[in-house]
Amino acid sequence: MLITCPYCGPRDVGEYTYQGDGNRTRPDPASTDQEAWNDYVYERLNPAGAHHEIWQHSGGCRAHLRVTRDTLTHAIAEVSFAREAGHRK
């Protein structure tokens, strides 16, 4: 599988580290709501089809990327920086 880094171009998936589901919202760090933290840490959906994921280009520029990947075919529809303001120019 190839992931096209917006900074480095197309690279093999071996250069990347999967960082997790790109759809989840982290609870407020100051929150003491144990149920909200348990849900965030342990509950996972397993969708079929297009899914947003966070990957880090750990073997390259080290940027965090938001990848839209089809979980059935592994086809990648879109790649962008996870934080547009934080990328190199």
Side-chain angles (χ1 to χ4, degrees):
M1 184 167 76
L2 291 177
I3 297 177
T4 301
C5 174
Y7 187 72
C8 302
R11 299 291 193 269
D12 184 77
V13 72
E15 289 190 17
Y16 295 87
T17 304
Y18 177 74
Q19 298 288 302
D21 184 345
N23 296 312
R24 297 175 50 217
T25 302
R26 182 178 181 174
D28 181 340
S31 171
T32 59
D33 182 350
Q34 190 65 44
E35 186 174 337
W37 280 105
N38 282 340
D39 287 348
Y40 177 74
V41 172
Y42 298 111
E43 295 296 321
R44 299 285 190 268
L45 296 175
N46 190 14
H51 183 66
H52 298 291
E53 302 170 336
I54 303 298
W55 290 76
Q56 183 183 19
H57 193 183
S58 53
C61 66
R62 315 235 356 119
H64 285 89
L65 306 174
R66 181 176 178 86
V67 176
T68 303
R69 180 178 67 89
D70 188 306
T71 58
L72 298 173
T73 65
H74 298 293
I76 294 175
E78 184 178 358
V79 179
S80 62
F81 290 107
R83 295 184 185 164
E84 288 296 329
H87 77 279
R88 301 179 206 180
K89 295 196 181 219

